[in-house]
Amino acid sequence: SQAGRQLIAPGQRPEEPHTRFPDRMVAYQRLWLAALVIQGDLGWVWQWLARALNEPEATPISAPLLYATLETAGADAQDRYGRQFVKLVDYIDQHYMPQLEALVARTKGEEADQLRASRSRLRLWLDSFRATGRAPRPAGRDVEVAQEAALNPDL
């Protein structure tokens, strides 16, 4: 939907409330990203990031999708792309976050609430990255041998 208007966004079901639409899209995004990371096919992740960040302006759905991408595939993308990934994170911080601030100012209702929450999660991720210099590995990415045995009693 467009900022400040309660229209149906591309891909949004007609009866679907705006609060559920981003959650569904993020779930699809995380599944796709997890498959790409497992396959080691990070070129698609990089391509998605480049396309999303090269859009003329941020949209309400782009913030939660960007956060999901950084959280799910950021550590692997940093391992693969190194300094280029750091530059990308700098770009997000310096150019994309101000776009989100402007978008929040002209968005209303549930869409604005969702956008503020996504912006806050993204800000926390960026601050953590800045403090440590590393993208955190997503929860569940690394399974310890003891955990593996608990998950499969046949081992």
Side-chain angles (χ1 to χ4, degrees), residues 39-145:
Q39 295 170 352
D41 199 359
L42 296 172
W44 287 105
V45 174
W46 193 258
Q47 185 177 15
W48 186 90
L49 285 165
R51 285 183 177 173
L53 295 171
N54 279 316
E55 284 294 315
E57 65 179 49
T59 62
I61 191 67
S62 61
L65 291 175
L66 178 59
Y67 172 73
T69 302
L70 292 172
E71 185 181 49
T72 305
D76 291 278
Q78 185 177 16
D79 289 345
R80 170 80 52 89
Y81 298 108
R83 181 72 188 128
Q84 293 305 313
F85 182 79
V86 174
K87 289 179 183 179
L88 181 123
V89 172
D90 287 342
Y91 178 86
I92 293 168
D93 204 10
Q94 295 171 11
H95 299 280
Y96 185 79
M97 291 305 286
Q99 284 184 25
L100 278 184
E101 297 297 330
L103 182 60
V104 166
R106 60 180 197 273
T107 306
K108 298 177 184 155
E110 292 177 344
E111 195 171 51
D113 295 340
Q114 193 97 16
L115 183 56
R116 275 191 289 279
S118 294
R119 182 197 59 198
S120 295
R121 284 189 291 273
L122 189 53
R123 170 54 52 210
L124 288 172
W125 191 96
L126 291 168
D127 290 346
S128 172
F129 182 85
R130 189 83 46 234
T132 64
R134 291 290 311 156
R137 297 186 72 72
R141 173 71 166 96
D142 299 314
V143 178
E144 307 262 333
V145 173

Side-chain angles (χ1 to χ4, degrees), residues 1 23 26 29 32 40 56 59 61 70 92 102 108 135 142 152 155:
S1 66
D23 293 339
V26 165
Q29 178 88 345
W32 177 65
T59 62
I61 191 67
L70 292 172
I92 293 168
K108 298 177 184 155
D142 299 314
N152 186 353
L155 290 179

Side-chain angles (χ1 to χ4, degrees), residues 25-42:
M25 292 297 105
V26 165
Y28 291 145
Q29 178 88 345
R30 287 183 189 278
L31 178 62
W32 177 65
L33 292 165
L36 292 174
V37 167
I38 288 169
Q39 295 170 352
D41 199 359
L42 296 172

